[in-house]
Each structure stands twice: as C-alpha cells, then as structure tokens.
Amino acid sequence: METSAFPAELIRRLQEAHHIVALTGAGISAESGIPTFREAQTGLWARYDPQTLASPEALARNPGLVWSWYAWRRSLVRQAAPNAGHRALAAMERLVPRFTLVTQNVDGLHQQAGSRTVIELHGNIMRTVCAAQRHVVTQWAPVPEGEAPTCPYCGSVLRPDVVFFGENLPPQALEAALQAAQTADVMLVIGTSGVVYPAAALPGLAKEHGAWVVEINPQPTPLSDLADTTLRAPAGEALPALVAAAWPRQNT
Ligand code: NAD
C-alpha cells in the first residue's frame, strides 16, 4: 500500500495521539492462516454454525463434537505465526506514549509478535479450564474419540478458556477495554465484522469520547459508517504502510 494513500489528517492524528487503541478481530489473523469464523465454515466443518459449536449448550449436549472442533482450531493456531499486521501493531506500541491493544482473538499472536499491553476480551484458546469451577488444567486423562476429557480436580467437563456465544466477558478485561476506549485519541478497528457485542460497541464509545476512528478491513461492516477514515485493504498491507507513513524516521 502506498504511504501517500493515507489522508494527511489521519497521519497527523496518529503522530499527535497520546493514547492509541487498536481493536482487532479474526481478520488480522486471516493472513496467518487462521480462518475467520466465516472462512472456517468450509470443508470438514461446513455444516456446523460456529454459534452451535462455541456455546455452553453445545458443550453440554455434545462435548466430543465441541472438543474435536477446538482440537482442529488449536492445531491451526499452533502452526500459525504472527504476520506483518501483528508486527506493525507491536512496533506502533513502542512509538507512541500510550498504546492499548484490545483483541477479540483467542490465538495469542499479538503477544507472539511482541505486543505488551494486550486485553484478551474473549480468552485464549490454548488454555484449558473446567466448565464447573474454572480450574486451569494442563494435563488430563486421555478419552476415546467423540468424548470430552474431564477435570482432575472436580470431574466436570474440560473446555478451552474462551468466551462462548451467550457468555459474559471476563469483567476485568471488559472494564479495561471500556476505559481504554474512553481515553483513546485514535481507535484503529481492524479485521472485525463488528457484530459481536460488547466488543462492537467500543468504536462508538471511543468516538463519543472524541477519538478518531479508523477502520481497516477489505469489506464494509456495520461499523464503517462511524469511522472517520476507512482503509479497504488487508491489515498485513495497511498497518506496516501506516506505521511507515506516520513515523517515517523510525526503524521499526
Ligand atoms: P469475524 O470472523 O466475524 O470477521 C472477520 C472480519 O475480518 C471480516 O469483517 C472480514 O472482512 C475481515 N477481514 C478478513 N481478512 C482480513 C484482512 N486480511 N485484514 C483485515 N480484515 C480482514 O471476526 P470477529 O469480528 O473477530 O468476530 C468473530 C468472533 O470469532 C470473535 O469473537 C473471535 O473471538 C472469534 N474468532 C477468533 C479467531 C482468532 O482468534 N484468530 C478466529 C476466528 C474467530
């Protein structure tokens, strides 16, 4: 992406910002080979709606199926590495007075890229907890295909430590994200379809509190209308170009 493609106002806002907040979604990890939920509905899993797999009801009704789906998603995350978009956000954090990364992703790629202040709104797929008590579990007895392992402490079924559809977000993470949105000078909204709440409310909140909102997404979303600048490009192209344009003398 040409650095001249960016509006001068956007560059000035980035350079003068005291606090930049980035809100990321599955789209930023798409270029690392981790499918978004929409893309994930191909091949083996095409006949399942993610909402019927990533839910407490599904875990109760068919724990083996939910585990197989997460085993597949975990294998994709294990094989993935951060891309240029993740790395550009880690670089940006080192260039501005204050930077907060709020992610809906559960893949840990921002931390792998070197981002330090990361709020995981939807948990982390590589962690395992039990359904009843939220014991964090690192080892469990193997079970036959089609069944789910159980907690060595309380016997309840194990699950990935992610927020299922219909569940509340971790309160501390949500509170920190709300605070960040209210104090942002610029909010970058990257690779999110803007339909999963309460994350999707953060750009509107930031704007109400005076932030300049930038959407980076090849496709329009319900958040596009509130954005002050829209960059219709993949995050892996737009973000490195944006960092180079706003901080040209820095070696990122
Ligand atoms: P989503 O799948 O609903 O939407 C992805 C968005 O990214 C779309 O708007 C798409 O146009 C855009 N996109 C695709 N490729 C892009 C690219 N290269 N650069 C920029 N944008 C791109 O994702 P969501 O809004 O994050 O919400 C779905 C839920 O799915 C979240 O709760 C999240 O926890 C979960 N999820 C996470 C992962 C992950 O951790 N990597 C993967 C799939 C789903």
Side-chain angles (χ1 to χ4, degrees), residues 46-186:
R47 59 210 166 95
Y48 297 103
D49 172 356
Q51 300 218 18
T52 64
L53 293 165
S55 71
E57 295 76 24
L59 186 70
R61 206 177 37 241
N62 201 340
L65 178 73
V66 173
W67 263 86
S68 306
W69 189 59
Y70 275 103
W72 171 66
R73 293 190 60 211
R74 280 178 167 177
S75 72
L76 296 176
V77 169
R78 258 186 228 107
Q79 290 160 29
N83 63 53
H86 297 106
R87 287 194 297 274
L89 290 178
M92 200 184 289
E93 182 170 17
R94 296 191 287 272
L95 293 167
V96 299
R98 187 171 165 212
F99 187 89
T100 308
L101 208 164
V102 182
T103 189
Q104 300 167 81
N105 294 347
V106 294
D107 55 35
L109 290 181
H110 287 302
Q111 293 92 328
Q112 273 190 50
S115 286
R116 288 181 285 239
T117 312
V118 182
I119 299 170
E120 288 183 319
L121 280 181
H122 293 166
N124 192 299
I125 195 171
M126 300 314 282
R127 240 182 353 252
T128 300
V129 293
C130 73
Q133 313 262 354
R134 298 282 162 155
H135 292 125
V136 177
V137 176
T138 52
Q139 283 187 322
W140 51 86
V143 291
E145 181 75 27
E147 290 181 28
T150 51
C151 178
Y153 308 110
C154 72
S156 72
V157 69
L158 293 179
R159 54 172 287 178
D161 191 10
V162 297
V163 176
F164 284 156
F165 288 103
E167 291 184 325
N168 290 331
L169 272 58
Q172 280 184 337
L174 179 58
E175 184 53 37
L178 292 169
Q179 288 289 339
Q182 291 172 62
T183 54
D185 300 306
V186 176

Side-chain angles (χ1 to χ4, degrees), residues 24-31 34-40 50 69 73 77 83 86 103-109 121-123 125 162-163 165 189-196 199 215-222 231 233-237:
T24 65
I28 194 168
S29 293
E31 291 162 83
I34 301 177
T36 63
F37 271 170
R38 197 180 338 157
E39 293 164 344
W69 189 59
R73 293 190 60 211
V77 169
N83 63 53
H86 297 106
T103 189
Q104 300 167 81
N105 294 347
V106 294
D107 55 35
L109 290 181
L121 280 181
H122 293 166
I125 195 171
V162 297
V163 176
F165 288 103
V189 183
I190 307 157
T192 177
S193 57
V195 293
V196 178
E215 180 177 68
I216 301 176
N217 194 318
Q219 304 293 330
T221 75
L231 304 175
E237 289 175 27

